[in-house]
Amino acid sequence: MDIESSSSSCYDSLKAFDGSSTTAMLIATLCGSTVPDPVYSTANEMYLQFESDGSVTKAGFKALVKFVDPSVVPTEAAAPTTGCGSVHTDPTGTIMTPNYPNDYPNSADCDTTIISQDRNAKVTLTFDNFETELSGNCQYDYVLIYDGADSSFPFMDRFCGSVIPGPITSTGPDMYIKFVSDYSVGASGISATYTSA
Ligand SMILES: [Ca+2]
Ligand SMILES: [Ca+2]
């Protein structure tokens, strides 16, 4: 594994999607020279996309593909929970936690990615409602926002509780939003709209 990276992001990258194209959920964005843990799909398809930017090349990667029985996939390595979270490519849209406006489930882990088709656009996320379990450092239930297509991009903010955060705008064309809930105490959750312009 040797793919050009910076300290906080990937200049060149190998992306793995949980399906047959880039419209499937993004499972991993890989770069750097540390051999990553195995990447698992949730079903029988995985789409890999290697991209290099305008300068600096490295040796690249070599990977082994194995078809395995789902029972051997480690739980902690399994792809993110499906059925919540999504990939959005429309210029505007709505994002909600599962069951909204009823309480979200415990043990949710929802990954939402907004990918602008206009690669010069920025994404603005506006919260319309925000009701999540409040905890001191937002360690129980929370939302994380990253300034790019996944959590390898710069972290922007972390929210919990019931104060509606102000709008957040990315510096680039993509935004990644992760919602996590713990094992107890729910709330009505989050409703937000985004615009890409
Ligand atoms: Ca490069
Ligand atoms: Ca909770």
Side-chain angles (χ1 to χ4, degrees):
M1 180 76 180
D2 193 7
I3 297 177
E4 190 197 6
S5 64
S6 73
S7 58
S8 61
S9 67
C10 297
Y11 289 131
D12 304 336
S13 66
L14 174 64
K15 291 182 178 175
F17 295 86
D18 196 16
S20 59
S21 75
T22 57
T23 60
M25 183 177 291
L26 183 64
I27 309 170
T29 300
L30 306 172
C31 63
S33 56
T34 303
V35 175
D37 290 336
V39 176
Y40 297 91
S41 64
T42 54
N44 63 330
E45 295 177 326
M46 183 186 289
Y47 187 88
L48 297 170
Q49 182 182 55
F50 176 73
E51 286 182 316
S52 61
D53 66 0
S55 65
V56 183
T57 62
K58 301 277 188 179
F61 71 93
K62 180 181 178 186
L64 176 68
V65 177
K66 272 190 188 172
F67 298 93
V68 298
D69 188 277
S71 64
V72 309
V73 176
T75 308
E76 68 273 20
T81 310
T82 54
C84 68
S86 46
V87 176
H88 297 259
T89 56
D90 292 337
T92 64
T94 303
I95 295 166
M96 286 176 288
T97 45
N99 305 333
Y100 185 87
N102 297 312
D103 286 8
Y104 53 77
N106 293 320
S107 304
D109 186 343
C110 306
D111 300 281
T112 298
T113 312
I114 300 165
I115 307 283
S116 301
Q117 299 296 302
D118 175 0
R119 301 308 289 165
N120 294 316
K122 299 180 193 319
V123 178
T124 298
L125 182 69
T126 303
F127 293 99
D128 303 313
N129 187 51
F130 202 101
E131 288 287 345
T132 64
E133 183 187 9
L134 178 64
S135 50
N137 297 314
C138 293
Q139 73 268 40
Y140 297 154
D141 302 344
Y142 52 87
V143 175
L144 305 176
I145 299 174
Y146 290 86
D147 195 10
D150 58 54
S151 61
S152 70
F153 288 89
F155 168 73
M156 295 180 79
D157 232 322
R158 181 182 189 116
F159 298 115
C160 67
S162 56
V163 175
I164 299 178
I168 294 182
T169 301
S170 63
T171 62
D174 307 324
M175 183 181 282
Y176 172 75
I177 301 148
K178 185 177 192 69
F179 172 72
V180 173
S181 65
D182 69 353
Y183 60 89
S184 67
V185 185
S188 63
I190 299 161
S191 169
T193 54
Y194 76 85
T195 56
S196 164

